[in-house]
Amino acid sequence: EFADGTFREYNRKLRDSNQPSSLHFEPFDGGLRYKGDPFIHSYQGCAAAYSVRTVGFGGPLMRVRRNSDDEEVDVRGDANGDVSLSSPIIGGSENETLGGYIGTASGFCSIWYDQSNTGAFQNNAVQGTAASQPMLVSGGSLITDANGKARLNFDGSNDLLAFTDGYNIGNLSSFLVSQSNVASQTSIQLSLGGDGTTPDRRWYAPFYDGANFKFRYATDSYPSGTITATSDTDMHLFTAIAGETQGNFTAFMDSDSLGSTTRAEGVTSDTVGIGGFASASALPFNGKVSEVLIFNSDQSPNRSVIEGNINSFFNIYS
């Protein structure tokens, strides 16, 4: 009954919360246990899942640094499974919440935990340099979208949450919820493959180029039939999928197709991540990110359902 991963992290949660050795099960109480539908476990090949809501195993959603003293705590979902100032924390005082811990200071994300895997298999998005960590709480106020959902703000200077696991760009799907702070910039919002190998294996989904969103894929900076959409400062869901089922690489914005290009194969050796590429100073994104889902598989048959789940939570498009 619980093969979907609902209790995969139960022992870890008991350990983190200093529970006694005897095990007991009881209803959900504000972050210790999972509440909701871990929908990513319904699909094969989820390689990483980063979100301000609980979408996977139900462990901590992110690690947050308080800038007043540089202390860090793990943040769980609140009673709804989401990041909020009411979220329980691990590492502070007993029964302390994120809001109580941060106070009037600011909070920055040092680790965005991968909810699709556990233990050594987690592919966490990490930033150890304080100046390059995206902000979650500003002066005691949670950074939110128009619907009150939490999100991380990348400053466009040097912020990056990085991971090094390579992905085969020929069998890959990515879903990104983001919003730019400015109407024009040169940056990468999500990179899962890049130049540095021969041939290059780019997966920039998307690249922000002046007044356009551009999906850069495979060997060329601007592949034949560049996939482009006019940029703006609205919140969007960006989807990119390549695989044998679909037969090519196709990009989508708010569930609408932007076009396709020839499918390629290969794995990058570069450091990739959220909010930039390769280092904290390379093409940093000036904007906010709420969710990133990555599948080592062609999710074209499930795309509309996955996008529907994301949109129903974030209310991005009608």
Side-chain angles (χ1 to χ4, degrees):
E1 180 180 356
F2 301 112
D4 61 2
T6 301
F7 290 114
R8 289 169 63 191
E9 285 293 292
Y10 191 75
N11 286 334
R12 178 179 175 181
K13 289 196 275 286
L14 288 172
R15 182 197 67 207
D16 290 345
S17 56
N18 297 315
Q19 296 292 316
S21 58
S22 59
L23 302 181
H24 61 280
F25 292 85
E26 57 186 89
F28 172 89
D29 66 352
L32 176 61
R33 279 157 295 280
Y34 181 78
K35 179 180 182 180
D37 175 16
F39 82 98
I40 61 171
H41 299 305
S42 300
Y43 310 101
Q44 295 294 318
C46 189
Y50 315 99
S51 184
V52 296
R53 60 173 177 150
T54 304
V55 296
F57 60 69
L61 304 186
M62 60 180 65
R63 187 164 183 83
V64 174
R65 175 182 61 86
R66 182 173 57 190
N67 71 339
S68 58
D69 56 9
D70 289 331
E71 292 295 322
E72 297 187 2
V73 294
D74 281 344
V75 179
R76 297 195 183 279
D78 60 15
N80 295 313
D82 309 330
V83 172
S84 73
L85 293 180
S86 299
S87 290
I89 61 173
I90 302 171
S93 302
E94 184 177 1
N95 297 323
E96 192 171 15
T97 64
L98 176 62
Y101 173 77
I102 294 293
T104 59
S106 295
F108 297 80
C109 180
S110 61
I111 304 175
W112 206 353
Y113 288 113
D114 170 22
Q115 297 185 48
S116 70
N117 296 285
T118 62
F121 295 99
Q122 274 190 299
N123 187 17
N124 299 325
V126 179
Q127 180 53 259
T129 302
S132 298
Q133 296 167 352
M135 180 184 288
L136 175 69
V137 181
S138 177
S141 297
L142 189 71
I143 296 174
T144 65
D145 61 24
N147 301 302
K149 309 296 187 182
R151 51 188 180 172
L152 294 175
N153 185 63
F154 292 75
D155 65 7
S157 175
N158 55 10
D159 290 355
L160 173 71
L161 291 174
F163 39 87
T164 56
D165 284 11
Y167 297 100
N168 181 356
I169 66 168
N171 198 44
L172 189 61
S173 304
S174 65
F175 301 82
L176 165 73
V177 177
S178 66
Q179 181 173 11
S180 177
N181 289 330
V182 294
S184 178
Q185 58 180 296
T186 302
S187 66
I188 296 176
Q189 298 188 40
L190 175 65
S191 62
L192 300 184
D195 48 17
T197 58
T198 304
D200 295 338
R201 298 303 183 195
R202 289 179 173 85
W203 186 287
Y204 301 162
F207 185 97
Y208 209 130
D209 180 36
N212 293 292
F213 298 125
K214 294 187 176 181
F215 287 77
R216 295 188 176 183
Y217 178 72
T219 59
D220 298 323
S221 293
Y222 296 93
S224 176
T226 300
I227 302 172
T228 302
T230 301
S231 63
D232 55 37
T233 56
D234 295 333
M235 191 175 187
H236 291 293
L237 169 56
F238 297 100
T239 303
I241 298 177
E244 293 181 356
T245 301
Q246 185 171 263
N248 53 25
F249 171 88
T250 302
F252 305 83
M253 186 170 76
D254 300 337
S255 197
D256 294 329
S257 176
L258 299 177
S260 301
T261 192
T262 303
R263 175 173 167 262
E265 292 277 355
V267 178
T268 186
S269 61
D270 292 303
T271 297
V272 292
I274 304 165
F277 167 74
S279 72
S281 60
L283 301 170
F285 177 51
N286 186 352
K288 300 174 179 68
V289 179
S290 306
E291 184 164 291
V292 178
L293 305 180
I294 304 166
F295 293 84
N296 270 326
S297 55
D298 179 343
Q299 287 296 324
S300 54
N302 304 313
R303 177 183 62 83
S304 61
V305 178
I306 295 172
E307 290 177 332
N309 183 287
I310 295 170
N311 187 51
S312 66
F313 181 81
F314 291 104
N315 193 28
I316 305 166
Y317 53 90
S318 57

